[in-house]
Amino acid sequence: MIKNKSAETRFYEKLLKPFVKKQSLVNAFQEESYKALQQTSFPTLKDEEWKYTDIGDLAIQSLEPAVKADAEKIRPEMVFPYRFNHMKSHVLVFINGYFSPHFSHIKKNSNSILIENLSEALSSHPEIVQTYLGKIDKKGNDFFSYLNGAFFQEGVVIDLRDNVSCEIPIHLLYLTVGNDHLRYASYRNIVILGKGSSATLVETHHSLNNQSVLTNTVTEIVTSENATLQHHILQLQNENSYYFGSTNVSLFPESHYQNTWISLGGKLSRNDVNAEMQGEGSDCQLYGLYAGHHHQLMDSRTVVTHNAIHATSNQLYKGILNDCAQGNFNGKIYVSRNAQKTEAYQLNRNLILSEKARVNTKPHLKIFADDVKCSHGASVGQLDKNALFYLQSRGVGKEVARSMLTFAFANDVIDSIILGSVRFFLYKRLYNRFGREWGSVDDFESFQTIRKNGE
Amino acid sequence: MDKDREGIDFLTQKEYEYGFVTDIEMDLAPKGLNEEIIRMISGKKGEPEEVLRWRLKAYRGWTKMKEPRWAFIEYPSIDYQDIYYYAAPRKKKRPKSMDEVDSEIVATFNKLGISLEEQEALSGVAVDAVMDSVSVATTFKKKLKELGIIFLSISEAIREYPDLVRKYLGSVVAPNDNFFAALNSAVFTDGTFVYIPKGIRCPMELSTYFRINAAQTGQFERTLIVADKESYVSYLEGCTAPIRDENQLHAAVVELVALDGAEIKYSTVQNWYAGDKEGKGGIYNFVTKRGLCGNNSKISWAQVETGSAITWKYPSIILRGDNAVGEFHSVALTNNYQQADTGTKMIHLGKNTRSTIISKGISAGHSNNSYRGLVKIGPKADNAKNYSQCDSLLIGNKCGAHTFPYIEVNNPTANVEHEATTSKISEDQLFYCNQRGIGTEEAIGLIINGYAREVFKRLPMEFAVEAQKLLAVRLEGSVG
């Protein structure tokens, strides 16, 4: 309800107006979300869930949908650097909220594997969209979730039949091209893994110019019995961009889900992972790395809900904050009354490298079952002085030692990515952030090659 | 596991032992809260005009505030107009010695095992006993006076040391700090004032026993402790309350001021009536406790929370001075339908400040026990350090244990660590004890005692006996 005409409210009206005219609300779900959105107030610092995330500066900008024409100007060589060229994969490229079939490359599939962009899937397999859309994302009362529901433009539908394994990774490449205004691009993904199936999904977000775009993504995932999904999300947009993403997973018995969230880009990025352990013996591994510099704000959020017995979950989130960057972690473990024998762990570690960098962490536990093992930990600190001294005593310069240790700190999370090409791609990015003191890029690459060969 | 069940049932079904009502004629103000009532309270206390204005300001602020509902506790809305804000034991004149104290009051304390005479004579503890709202007996005053230590009820202090009280009252917890602090500031009827002069080490533990007595009477205690430079004081607070069917409201404010180099140790055993097995009745305990540290000073809170239907309490420390140290040690036990949302705030503002948080939660029955804490490192707090450990123990599968830490770090040289675990008493541990001839009930007591030991150790010797006795009533005694 719009109660008062604050700056936020004005933004809220500004935000809705252009879309109401331009986007026809095609189905009941969008209409429902739109109604819910109108009932939800724009988040401010007074909301507990937004306590440390100030999005007030969005209020003074006018927001308009991203332009398809801008996307059409993109040439293949501009997209090329963002693909993992040494990795065979299904690639789906999205620019400004639109699917680009000519840049995408989906290898021929058997009937048991469906990989399609959302608008195509709506006509070819409407029943899948109908069954799962909005059923896994149960956040409720979340502004950006409703916003996505009301105005999503494109997305992907992945459906694996029982006992099928998708041999090569699926790469979703999202690109943005902004212009003078703040632009909006949004995606809605549905990933359904049948019993005993397995897949690897990589999502990367990049900007093709320096203009600001607000990206809003909601992904809904179901892992059926014994299914396994490896999911990596890399947020590497320019430092004028806004990113609001949420991944919602429903885990059935004995299924495995692993998520690695890497955030290096964006002016403001906020990522939610909601995992619901529905089945006995399901397992969920969440990793995250947020490395911010300049004035970046990075928000990592997790909710792991244990509703079944014998399920395990583990979370490791690491932050490296430099310059005036701010890193937030908000993790929740919820163990319901019947989820006995649960094992749930959560660890958030942060490294502050500069005087004005900030970290806020909220690792929460809510436990209603008695026969459980749950723990969480959080730390904020600097590089280990003893480790620094050790390296220096062996002739490594202070700056080099610092960058080596910072790199090592991040490595725990990077190592959770099972795809070598993606890891290598990230190493280079991280090298540019922390490793400059270390030596030339060539030295670094040869080091990595040795490392890679050694594996 | 039947035997185990029995042990737990026995433990969770323990009735409140200290439930009795003393029949003393009461001096009651009419129910409800308005400016007239505040003027009346102030008038009865013979307070200066200034204090009345302060109260009224707090009251006006309070009327504009909303009751906080963010804590993980549930209770029906409180009708603030249905409460007596003033009740005092009727008296003709101030008692000058123990002999003059109403014999029934003395008997009440005796039943609780806190005989004034005994304590005065044997343990050497000065007791400022508060029955409902007015201080009825103050002991050891003379001895303390020789050292320049002021240990008075706060209403006496307002009359006798107005300048000192004016300087510090509300300096740590501002009158409009929060809803319950504002309510307290408006209507506080009594409490304790302590002043330790420069360089003095208080030779004895100071202690006060609070007791809710009159039906439907809320207690609004106000405690102010000022430790001047390089001084030391250890203060004890403990409470028990009689069984009542109606929920009673308790909104206390405690302010601690540790000036440069001073040390204050504040220990609490809280055993208000927690309601019966069905969760009927019990005290609503909404407390604001906060300490302010100067350079090189130290404040430590130690608490054993076993009572109250609802506990909403966050003893905090503002580490303003350089090299200041803050400590928080807590055992919170909830049983039946009790709900506790408790923890601490450590605000680091000065350089080289250090803080430690040890919190042990035990939930049994249908209760919910939450730790909620904030560690904040300000931009100027170079080399600040914090270590937090919050453990929860679940007994039975109908209770809940929750942890809500908030960590805000604005300085790169800070070192903040937080750890929390949740577990139950493992069958292995019980089996090990059984195997060696220790019964299940006894074993549970033993394990819980060991679990909370780290905090018990922090309680002063004089208080530890009392604390263990009170905890034993609710746990160990019942299983041992």
Side-chain angles (χ1 to χ4, degrees):
Chain A
M1 287 296 174
I2 298 169
K3 281 180 188 135
N4 55 349
K5 292 268 166 193
S6 62
E8 283 80 10
T9 314
R10 283 199 299 279
F11 167 78
Y12 169 77
E13 287 176 338
K14 252 189 289 183
L15 181 75
L16 294 181
K17 265 183 193 158
F19 292 106
V20 177
K21 282 171 198 153
K22 284 175 191 166
Q23 193 113 13
S24 63
L25 300 175
V26 281
N27 60 32
F29 176 72
Q30 284 193 312
E31 252 172 71
E32 211 177 279
S33 305
Y34 180 63
K35 266 183 208 147
L37 177 67
Q38 285 177 309
Q39 309 273 317
T40 312
S41 55
F42 189 77
T44 64
L45 292 178
K46 282 183 184 161
D47 295 299
E48 179 67 19
E49 297 304 320
W50 295 84
K51 195 174 155 76
Y52 301 118
T53 313
D54 189 356
I55 54 171
D57 69 325
L58 277 172
I60 49 167
Q61 303 186 46
S62 70
L63 183 75
E64 278 169 37
V67 189
K68 197 173 184 180
D70 288 335
E72 279 160 358
K73 287 179 211 150
I74 302 302
R75 295 182 307 277
E77 66 268 25
M78 294 164 81
V79 178
F80 189 74
Y82 301 111
R83 296 182 51 165
F84 301 115
N85 295 308
H86 299 292
M87 183 175 82
K88 273 189 191 164
S89 59
H90 302 288
V91 184
L92 285 88
V93 178
F94 298 89
I95 306 173
N96 279 4
Y98 297 94
F99 180 57
S100 308
H102 49 293
F103 294 133
S104 303
H105 184 66
I106 305 170
K107 301 220 161 52
K108 224 177 156 33
N109 293 314
S110 60
N111 285 337
S112 51
I113 301 178
L114 169 77
I115 303 170
E116 260 175 0
N117 60 306
L118 182 66
S119 37
E120 213 171 294
L122 267 172
S123 52
S124 68
H125 295 83
E127 75 288 350
I128 297 175
V129 181
Q130 208 62 45
T131 314
Y132 295 105
L133 183 65
K135 298 296 191 303
I136 318 297
D137 174 25
K138 287 182 220 152
K139 274 193 297 299
N141 206 24
D142 182 89
F143 186 84
F144 286 93
S145 177
Y146 289 143
L147 185 68
N148 181 287
F151 304 119
F152 64 84
Q153 297 154 289
E154 253 300 355
V156 68
V157 174
I158 298 170
D159 183 28
L160 266 70
R161 296 284 160 79
D162 292 355
N163 302 315
V164 172
S165 122
C166 185
E167 300 291 339
I168 54 172
I170 303 158
H171 180 200
L172 309 178
L173 173 56
Y174 307 94
L175 301 168
T176 60
V177 196
N179 54 25
D180 51 340
H181 274 299
L182 174 61
R183 298 289 174 175
Y184 179 80
S186 78
Y187 304 95
R188 186 97 189 180
N189 303 326
I190 296 172
V191 181
I192 311 298
L193 265 67
K195 287 177 187 170
S197 64
S198 68
T200 303
L201 180 64
V202 186
E203 298 184 61
T204 55
H205 292 268
H206 294 277
S207 311
L208 292 176
N209 63 11
N210 245 339
Q211 300 293 338
S212 62
V213 175
L214 190 157
T215 308
N216 184 352
T217 308
V218 173
T219 305
E220 295 181 283
I221 301 173
V222 175
T223 56
S224 310
E225 276 171 53
N226 282 311
T228 302
L229 180 66
Q230 304 277 346
H231 189 186
H232 311 309
I233 308 171
L234 278 54
Q235 203 286 108
L236 304 165
Q237 292 175 337
N238 69 37
E239 286 172 35
N240 294 317
S241 293
Y242 297 85
Y243 175 88
F244 296 91
S246 96
T247 305
N248 308 278
V249 197
S250 192
L251 286 98
F252 283 84
E254 304 296 337
S255 64
H256 298 272
Y257 175 73
Q258 189 199 311
N259 180 302
T260 308
W261 154 250
I262 308 286
S263 180
L264 295 176
K267 180 180 186 182
L268 186 158
S269 64
R270 183 175 164 104
N271 186 54
D272 273 280
V273 182
N274 301 301
E276 211 164 322
M277 318 298 286
Q278 299 285 28
E280 196 179 325
S282 50
D283 170 58
C284 173
Q285 306 283 328
L286 306 179
Y287 296 90
L289 172 71
Y290 42 97
H293 65 168
H294 301 150
H295 282 87
Q296 289 183 304
L297 193 163
M298 292 174 171
D299 212 346
S300 294
R301 303 160 55 76
T302 65
V303 180
V304 177
T305 310
H306 282 265
N307 283 332
I309 61 166
H310 278 296
T312 52
S313 69
N314 186 29
Q315 303 175 37
L316 174 65
Y317 277 73
K318 288 196 163 187
I320 303 171
L321 287 312
N322 206 346
D323 303 330
C324 297
Q326 185 187 337
N328 300 336
F329 174 76
N330 185 338
K332 292 192 180 92
I333 295 177
Y334 181 91
V335 180
S336 66
R337 191 135 284 160
N338 48 3
Q340 297 291 3
K341 308 280 178 194
T342 288
E343 280 191 37
Y345 305 105
Q346 182 187 64
L347 182 62
N348 174 233
R349 300 190 62 196
N350 296 283
L351 201 56
I352 302 192
L353 298 177
S354 77
E355 226 167 273
K356 292 200 169 143
R358 285 197 287 161
V359 168
N360 300 302
T361 166
K362 275 196 337 189
H364 287 184
L365 294 180
K366 255 190 182 182
I367 295 165
F368 292 96
D370 64 334
D371 194 3
V372 298
K373 280 186 189 155
C374 293
S375 74
H376 70 186
S379 69
V380 183
Q382 307 80 48
L383 293 170
D384 183 354
K385 287 196 182 79
N386 291 331
L388 271 175
F389 178 76
Y390 178 88
L391 287 170
Q392 281 179 275
S393 70
R394 270 142 189 84
V396 180
K398 196 176 181 183
E399 290 307 312
V400 180
R402 281 179 70 92
S403 77
M404 280 170 97
L405 288 172
T406 309
F407 206 87
F409 180 81
N411 216 12
D412 275 4
V413 174
I414 307 284
D415 273 352
S416 71
I417 297 174
I418 56 160
L419 302 170
S421 305
V422 178
R423 276 209 308 271
F424 193 63
F425 184 86
L426 269 174
Y427 283 139
K428 273 207 248 176
R429 286 287 181 139
L430 284 175
Y431 178 81
N432 284 333
R433 255 315 142 87
F434 317 113
R436 290 257 172 90
E437 311 292 338
W438 203 337
S440 70
V441 183
D442 294 340
D443 288 348
F444 174 74
E445 289 203 10
S446 58
F447 166 72
Q448 285 304 330
T449 315
I450 295 163
R451 201 183 128 89
K452 225 171 145 187
N453 294 339
E455 271 178 10
Chain B
M1 288 307 288
D2 272 0
K3 214 177 161 203
D4 183 11
R5 255 297 29 107
E6 258 172 48
I8 291 167
D9 285 351
F10 188 60
L11 177 155
T12 51
Q13 281 161 18
K14 188 80 182 171
E15 289 278 351
Y16 187 76
E17 277 187 354
Y18 293 157
F20 44 81
V21 179
T22 317
D23 197 15
I24 304 168
E25 279 183 90
M26 301 299 290
D27 186 2
L28 278 177
K31 266 187 187 178
L33 181 57
N34 51 48
E35 293 199 8
E36 276 315 298
I37 294 279
I38 293 167
R39 278 176 213 281
M40 193 210 88
I41 293 171
S42 189
K44 287 230 179 202
K45 304 238 147 239
E47 286 172 358
E49 181 68 21
E50 197 184 347
V51 178
L52 174 64
R53 275 204 303 274
W54 191 81
R55 283 175 182 272
L56 288 173
K57 200 178 151 206
Y59 171 72
R60 283 164 200 152
W62 177 76
T63 55
K64 292 190 196 86
M65 287 181 185
K66 261 171 74 181
E67 199 182 311
R69 283 284 179 172
W70 41 258
F72 194 66
I73 48 181
E74 268 177 37
Y75 55 93
S77 62
I78 299 167
D79 184 355
Y80 291 93
Q81 297 303 335
D82 194 33
I83 295 170
Y84 291 104
Y85 286 89
Y86 184 78
R90 191 171 292 172
K91 58 174 194 290
K92 288 175 186 80
K93 57 178 188 215
R94 297 266 318 144
K96 284 197 185 69
S97 70
M98 291 304 300
D99 310 332
E100 289 179 37
V101 174
D102 192 323
S103 62
E104 267 196 82
I105 293 177
V106 175
T108 305
F109 284 116
N110 283 338
K111 260 192 251 180
L112 287 170
I114 326 149
S115 141
L116 288 175
E117 306 95 315
E118 260 191 357
Q119 294 226 357
E120 188 176 18
L122 298 174
S123 59
V125 174
V127 176
D128 177 24
V130 174
M131 171 70 81
D132 281 319
S133 312
V134 172
S135 165
V136 287
T138 306
T139 48
F140 279 97
K141 222 189 239 174
K142 263 187 215 156
K143 204 169 166 187
L144 294 172
K145 217 169 185 179
E146 281 165 22
L147 290 165
I149 294 170
I150 302 166
F151 181 35
L152 285 174
S153 78
I154 198 141
S155 27
E156 281 172 313
I158 288 170
R159 288 192 294 270
E160 288 172 33
Y161 303 92
D163 292 345
L164 209 51
V165 176
R166 188 189 304 130
K167 190 170 169 191
Y168 293 108
L169 189 69
S171 68
V172 188
V173 178
N176 291 341
D177 185 82
N178 67 59
F179 183 84
F180 294 107
L183 180 64
N184 175 288
S185 303
V187 301
F188 73 89
T189 41
D190 219 327
T192 309
F193 176 73
V194 177
Y195 174 79
I196 314 290
K198 261 180 218 171
I200 295 293
R201 195 179 162 87
C202 184
M204 62 193 85
E205 313 274 352
L206 301 178
S207 99
T208 309
Y209 283 84
F210 297 111
R211 197 168 150 70
I212 294 178
N213 200 288
Q216 293 174 314
T217 310
Q219 277 230 331
F220 301 94
E221 254 53 284
R222 185 109 199 166
T223 304
L224 174 60
I225 299 176
V226 182
D228 212 326
K229 287 173 187 169
E230 308 292 337
S231 66
Y232 167 85
V233 63
S234 169
Y235 187 86
L236 323 171
E237 173 206 316
C239 28
T240 52
I243 285 184
R244 285 286 177 195
D245 275 337
E246 252 163 290
N247 289 312
Q248 293 184 309
L249 177 70
H250 181 88
V253 171
V254 176
E255 294 177 277
L256 307 184
V257 182
L259 298 178
D260 295 357
E263 180 177 348
I264 301 176
K265 201 169 162 181
Y266 194 103
S267 315
T268 310
V269 170
Q270 189 262 108
N271 190 29
W272 301 106
Y273 176 48
D276 64 12
K277 269 175 283 177
E278 273 71 50
K280 197 170 166 231
I283 306 294
Y284 289 2
N285 194 18
F286 297 95
V287 190
T288 308
K289 290 185 168 181
R290 200 175 297 155
L292 183 64
C293 276
N295 294 330
N296 305 311
S297 65
K298 178 177 176 180
I299 290 180
S300 56
W301 298 102
Q303 61 172 27
V304 177
E305 300 279 326
T306 63
S308 292
I310 286 171
T311 305
W312 180 96
K313 181 180 175 185
Y314 314 94
S316 312
I317 302 173
I318 301 169
L319 299 155
R320 193 168 66 184
D322 295 347
N323 311 315
V325 177
E327 283 178 0
F328 175 77
H329 292 87
S330 163
V331 172
L333 170 91
T334 56
N335 203 343
N336 299 327
Y337 285 89
Q338 275 179 280
Q339 303 174 70
D341 194 302
T342 182
T344 183
K345 285 186 193 176
M346 292 289 176
I347 317 278
H348 291 253
L349 301 175
K351 293 181 176 57
N352 304 316
T353 46
R354 282 177 290 144
S355 64
T356 310
I357 299 169
I358 307 286
S359 165
K360 304 272 182 184
I362 303 162
S363 0
H366 293 262
S367 68
N368 272 307
N369 197 334
S370 311
Y371 167 82
R372 186 186 299 276
L374 168 73
V375 175
K376 186 171 185 169
I377 313 287
K380 286 179 185 156
D382 293 342
N383 300 316
K385 273 197 173 69
N386 164 270
Y387 174 73
S388 311
Q389 190 190 337
C390 312
D391 295 332
S392 306
L393 195 66
L394 292 149
I395 301 175
N397 57 4
K398 293 191 175 63
C399 51
H402 320 292
T403 321
F404 307 109
Y406 292 69
I407 301 167
E408 302 175 14
V409 180
N410 299 314
N411 188 303
T413 57
N415 243 314
V416 180
E417 286 173 68
H418 174 95
E419 277 181 72
T421 60
T422 302
S423 55
K424 69 165 195 167
I425 296 175
S426 80
E427 284 167 28
D428 290 354
Q429 285 172 320
L430 284 176
F431 179 73
Y432 180 90
C433 292
N434 287 160
Q435 199 191 29
R436 274 151 186 77
I438 301 167
T440 304
E441 289 164 21
E442 206 181 333
I444 291 173
L446 198 69
I447 292 162
I448 287 171
N449 205 0
Y451 169 76
R453 195 180 172 78
E454 212 175 332
V455 177
F456 287 151
K457 269 195 320 206
R458 297 285 164 167
L459 293 172
M461 267 302 279
E462 290 84 342
F463 211 28
V465 185
E466 174 80 17
Q468 270 174 6
K469 208 162 131 195
L470 286 178
L471 200 84
V473 170
R474 299 193 55 82
L475 266 179
E476 296 168 55
S478 58
V479 292

